[in-house]
Amino acid sequence: MRLINTRTLSLEHFGEDDVPPYAILSHRWEDEEISYEEMILASPTVRKRRGYLKILAFCRAAWSHGLSHGWVDTCCINKANSTELAEAISSMFAWYSKAAVCFGYLSDIQLKAVPYEYDTLLASSVWFERGWTLQELIAPAEMHFYDRDWALIGTKQQLEGLLAQITGIDKSVLGGASPQKCTIAQRMSWAANRKTSRAEDRAYSLIGIFDVSLPMIYGEGNKAFIRLQEEIIKHSDDHSIFAWSIGLPDDSHHGRCGLLAPSPSSFAYCQDVVRAGSNNSSKAFTVTNKGLSIELPTIPWSMGTYLAILDCSKISHPSKRLAILLERLSSAGQFARVRSGRMTITNVDSQIVMSQKVFYPVYRQMFIRQSITDKPRNEKYGFWLQDLDIHCFGPDELAWARIWSRDLSRPGDKVTGLVELPVSSYGTVGAVRFVPKKKVWPVHRLSWIKFGFDNDFNPICMLGNQNSLDSHFYRIADGHKTSMAIRGYYEDLQERERVLCNKWIFRESTQRNMGQETQTYCILKWDKGQTEQYVPLLNITISVKLVRYWERVNETEHAQPQAVWTIHISRVRHPLIRALSSAKDTALDNRNISGWMIVLGMIAYMELNRSDKSIHSNKTESETPRTRIK
């Protein structure tokens, strides 16, 4: 370590174990500063410069405190030697903490000008806006502040409250507590409004505050701050490093970015972000070659986008958790951080996080690259209902069908068309009830259908016959069953929420066994590559697939292509019957009379067998009470 002799003003070098007690200077670099080479020469011209006069006044102050040596960053570091410079930057926090006393020189204020308003005067100093002075304020145990004329303003202990108000630093840290007691977001917020001459120094000036090592690579710009965060992650599982809210790109920049903040300024509103106090419930996360790997509890927010819940909260909202938005990209497992309008971060009730009732967050393993290259999955958050063509339904009966959706402005009789979920909703998108014109409704006929998305945004449908209406489309009112379907629409929000509740998706998300005569409803889930499923219970085929959907964003732009899930219900028969029909056509084309007779016989046998089963099912149901099978 190189020190200045406060009596001779010469530079002296000391080994790590031989360093004498010393004073250290915290100041703002200005014009005419003295370099290492100039301090050695100490020519008459150099001695007249303001930087040399500042060093001279510092040595006098140190000598008055009984200290024979002092350290000033302008002249005690040989900046021409890159190795020495890197070592000095890495050791800076330790050097300030080991100093006997630190002198904070505020050259832009003069105490005698306004002696009774020193608090306002102190807050106006540019010294509090510089990046390097942050660690120079925190590290020393004893610190004295001086104005332009080297008049004493006060000590750090005397000005503790005012300094905490100006800088946002916790009082206990200013009083000597370790900065490690504060969360990562809180420490980042202290540097949010500070500036440095070089972009890299915004990161390098924080090395000591976070107690990490970081190689110096000048010329990399803001990448230095990304490297700093990656290094911090290696030593901490604190989720508050992801709780930044400023600097997210808007729609003009595709609105997607990585999980790490672009600069300390992104943490400007994180002074009160603390750990959630959940007994270290957060899971390990790390940086991999696929991006930052992390597992977080998630709640669907919009199509392909999740609300990811962090293990941290605001001091002002201790019962809530902070959550950010992560969008699923086209590559498997890849996500990107996004915003929803102006919202970049929000609060989620802790009770929802721990809930096990209707819906609870699902822990999801995600990879987030800092540089986003994958495209998002551009899909509508809803379904497109095509024309209905259901077996045993005539056009007049289908006209009586009614729909429930979360869009209050959507008419109840407009069954076909686009049905969307609003942002921040999840689960059930809509429900359709086929209203009978007659009191007697055959058991094997489709009576209602619900459709929505599961936790992975896969389409899922629930279909049922008349026997399952009690639990899905009826309510108990004054001891009597009242049909909402007959009225055609819901009366109040409570009835609407009952129809559109999500229990059927999240509690019974697996496909049910179908084909049993006693079953009253079934749940169908579509995976990738699967578009069509036959439902023996109702003798229908339901097709769900992605199609292109064009939507005009505004009058000045062309229509933007998107994908939307469609639902098409048809009276297409069982696959075996379709195969037999195809065989029939082949037999006729080849004029194979014997083959044609065999096909007709098989079809007749199957139709007769199906008719007998239907009669037996109706007879059994009329003789026994209705039972709801789950």
Side-chain angles (χ1 to χ4, degrees):
M1 185 178 186
R2 191 178 289 112
L3 297 174
I4 306 172
N5 188 307
T6 57
R7 293 188 63 186
T8 64
L9 297 183
S10 61
L11 294 175
E12 300 177 3
H13 191 274
F14 295 90
E16 186 176 351
D17 298 329
D18 302 326
V19 178
Y22 61 91
I24 199 165
L25 178 65
S26 174
H27 66 115
R28 192 167 52 89
W29 281 41
E30 298 175 293
D31 296 334
E32 301 183 358
E33 295 291 351
I34 305 302
S35 66
Y36 167 73
E37 295 82 1
E38 292 171 332
M39 192 66 184
I40 293 177
L41 296 175
S43 63
T45 304
V46 170
R47 291 172 184 270
K48 294 179 182 180
R49 291 166 62 175
R50 286 185 297 175
Y52 191 86
L53 297 176
K54 179 166 56 176
I55 295 173
L56 181 60
F58 162 73
C59 289
R60 288 173 181 169
W63 182 254
S64 67
H65 281 74
L67 298 170
S68 60
H69 291 84
W71 188 88
V72 181
D73 56 355
T74 56
C75 63
C76 289
I77 303 173
N78 182 9
K79 299 176 182 62
N81 187 330
S82 59
T83 303
E84 182 179 337
L85 176 61
E87 181 184 356
I89 292 177
S90 299
S91 306
M92 198 82 69
F93 189 88
W95 290 350
Y96 273 88
S97 63
K98 293 177 181 178
V101 63
C102 176
F103 297 139
Y105 179 59
L106 312 184
S107 61
D108 56 342
I109 65 173
Q110 193 172 23
L111 188 61
K112 65 181 182 181
V114 281
Y116 301 106
E117 298 180 7
Y118 72 93
D119 52 347
T120 305
L121 188 65
L122 187 67
S124 66
S125 176
V126 183
W127 185 87
F128 293 102
E129 300 176 4
R130 306 307 299 170
W132 289 105
T133 58
L134 175 60
Q135 65 176 359
E136 296 168 8
L137 173 62
I138 294 174
E142 184 177 353
M143 187 171 188
H144 298 178
F145 290 92
Y146 293 87
D147 72 351
R148 179 193 306 172
D149 303 322
W150 284 90
L152 181 64
I153 300 174
T155 66
K156 184 166 72 170
Q157 288 73 19
Q158 293 170 342
L159 302 172
E160 185 179 281
L162 180 58
L163 292 174
Q165 181 180 350
I166 295 172
T167 62
I169 302 173
D170 191 273
K171 284 185 179 181
S172 62
V173 175
L174 292 173
S178 171
Q180 310 302 321
K181 71 179 289 291
C182 298
T183 62
I184 294 173
Q186 287 177 314
R187 283 176 275 171
M188 288 291 188
S189 71
W190 304 340
N193 298 318
R194 293 176 178 264
K195 303 175 183 178
T196 56
S197 300
R198 305 192 65 167
E200 298 88 348
D201 285 338
R202 295 198 75 183
Y204 301 156
S205 63
L206 298 173
I207 290 175
I209 292 176
F210 290 98
D211 194 20
V212 296
S213 299
L214 193 69
M216 311 299 159
I217 309 176
Y218 281 101
E220 65 176 338
N222 292 328
K223 290 182 180 179
F225 187 66
I226 301 298
R227 287 199 299 119
L228 173 66
Q229 294 174 86
E230 291 175 346
E231 191 65 30
I232 293 172
I233 287 173
K234 295 178 183 179
H235 305 279
S236 174
D237 64 347
D238 183 3
H239 279 187
S240 70
I241 195 173
F242 310 123
W244 54 278
S245 58
I246 299 176
L248 274 167
D250 54 23
D251 292 338
S252 62
H253 295 83
H254 306 293
R256 297 167 186 88
C257 64
L259 205 53
L260 302 180
S263 74
S265 301
S266 301
F267 293 89
Y269 300 124
C270 296
Q271 298 93 334
D272 61 342
V273 175
V274 296
R275 291 205 179 214
S278 53
N279 297 323
N280 296 323
S281 63
S282 59
K283 300 187 178 183
F285 51 91
T286 184
V287 178
T288 70
N289 57 4
K290 294 183 65 176
L292 194 150
S293 174
I294 188 169
E295 188 175 358
L296 294 172
T298 59
I299 299 175
W301 177 265
S302 62
M303 194 60 183
T305 302
Y306 294 98
L307 199 63
I309 304 168
L310 304 175
D311 192 25
C312 56
S313 60
K314 292 268 190 178
I315 295 177
S316 55
H317 298 89
S319 63
K320 297 182 181 295
R321 298 274 193 92
L322 290 175
I324 57 177
L325 294 173
L326 297 177
E327 182 182 31
R328 188 170 59 182
L329 302 178
S330 54
S331 297
Q334 288 292 328
F335 288 77
R337 186 170 177 185
V338 295
R339 68 195 306 165
S340 179
R342 295 183 178 181
M343 193 199 84
T344 57
I345 192 166
T346 187
N347 289 307
V348 177
D349 197 323
S350 297
Q351 297 299 323
I352 295 179
V353 179
M354 306 306 295
S355 174
Q356 299 289 326
K357 296 181 180 179
V358 176
F359 176 76
Y360 54 93
V362 174
Y363 274 86
R364 193 174 304 278
Q365 184 69 40
M366 296 172 283
F367 294 94
I368 303 101
R369 287 194 173 98
Q370 195 59 28
S371 179
I372 305 301
T373 57
D374 292 336
K375 294 181 180 180
R377 299 177 55 167
N378 196 11
E379 299 176 12
K380 299 289 289 183
Y381 197 30
F383 288 81
W384 181 268
L385 301 183
Q386 295 183 350
D387 294 337
L388 301 176
D389 178 21
I390 305 176
H391 184 53
C392 296
F393 280 86
D396 55 339
E397 290 180 306
L398 292 176
W400 280 63
R402 293 294 180 265
I403 187 170
W404 283 258
S405 71
R406 299 191 186 276
D407 183 5
L408 294 175
S409 62
R410 183 181 179 85
D413 57 352
K414 186 183 178 182
V415 177
T416 59
L418 184 64
V419 186
E420 290 187 278
L421 265 178
V423 172
S424 76
S425 298
Y426 55 82
T428 308
V429 176
V432 177
R433 166 75 167 99
F434 301 99
V435 184
K437 294 181 65 176
K438 300 179 181 179
K439 293 184 179 180
V440 179
W441 189 269
V443 175
H444 66 274
R445 293 180 68 179
L446 176 66
S447 182
W448 56 271
I449 177 174
K450 290 185 179 183
F451 47 92
F453 297 106
D454 64 7
N455 278 317
D456 295 317
F457 298 105
N458 293 317
I460 183 169
C461 295
M462 187 179 190
L463 307 94
N465 58 23
Q466 185 76 8
N467 289 349
S468 57
L469 275 175
D470 290 349
S471 58
H472 296 282
F473 280 87
Y474 281 86
R475 72 183 179 95
I476 303 300
D478 300 328
H480 300 284
K481 293 183 178 180
T482 305
S483 170
M484 294 187 296
I486 296 299
R487 296 195 299 273
Y489 210 46
Y490 45 81
E491 286 185 349
D492 53 39
L493 294 178
Q494 184 177 0
E495 293 179 352
R496 171 173 160 270
E497 289 301 321
R498 175 178 172 81
V499 174
L500 300 177
C501 70
N502 296 322
K503 288 183 179 180
W504 67 279
I505 293 181
F506 301 112
R507 188 184 63 189
E508 306 178 63
S509 58
T510 58
Q511 181 174 337
R512 287 195 164 273
N513 297 323
M514 297 187 301
Q516 299 179 12
E517 294 181 0
T518 56
Q519 188 175 2
T520 60
Y521 66 90
C522 62
I523 297 176
L524 305 177
K525 186 176 180 180
W526 278 262
D527 297 323
K528 293 182 179 179
Q530 186 182 18
T531 60
E532 185 176 284
Q533 294 194 47
Y534 175 70
V535 184
L537 171 69
L538 305 168
N539 194 28
I540 61 172
T541 296
I542 179 170
S543 174
V544 177
K545 60 183 178 180
L546 273 175
V547 299
R548 302 203 77 178
Y549 179 84
W550 295 81
E551 181 180 34
R552 185 177 296 277
V553 178
N554 54 54
E555 296 181 356
T556 61
E557 295 184 3
H558 297 291
Q560 300 294 322
Q562 288 183 295
V564 64
W565 287 100
T566 63
I567 296 180
H568 183 75
I569 302 174
S570 65
R571 57 190 173 194
V572 178
R573 292 168 292 177
H574 191 278
L576 179 58
I577 298 179
R578 282 187 289 172
L580 291 173
S581 299
S582 177
K584 176 196 68 175
D585 296 336
T586 304
L588 288 176
D589 290 341
N590 297 333
R591 301 183 182 279
N592 188 341
I593 303 301
S594 59
W596 163 235
M597 295 301 295
I598 293 174
V599 167
L600 283 181
M602 292 177 66
I603 293 176
Y605 174 78
M606 291 182 65
E607 293 292 339
L608 180 61
N609 188 39
R610 175 171 165 268
S611 177
D612 291 342
K613 285 186 176 181
S614 176
I615 295 173
H616 176 71
S617 175
N618 292 336
K619 181 179 179 182
T620 303
E621 184 172 340
S622 63
E623 294 175 353
T624 59
R626 294 183 179 179
T627 58
R628 176 172 175 266
I629 305 299
K630 290 187 177 180

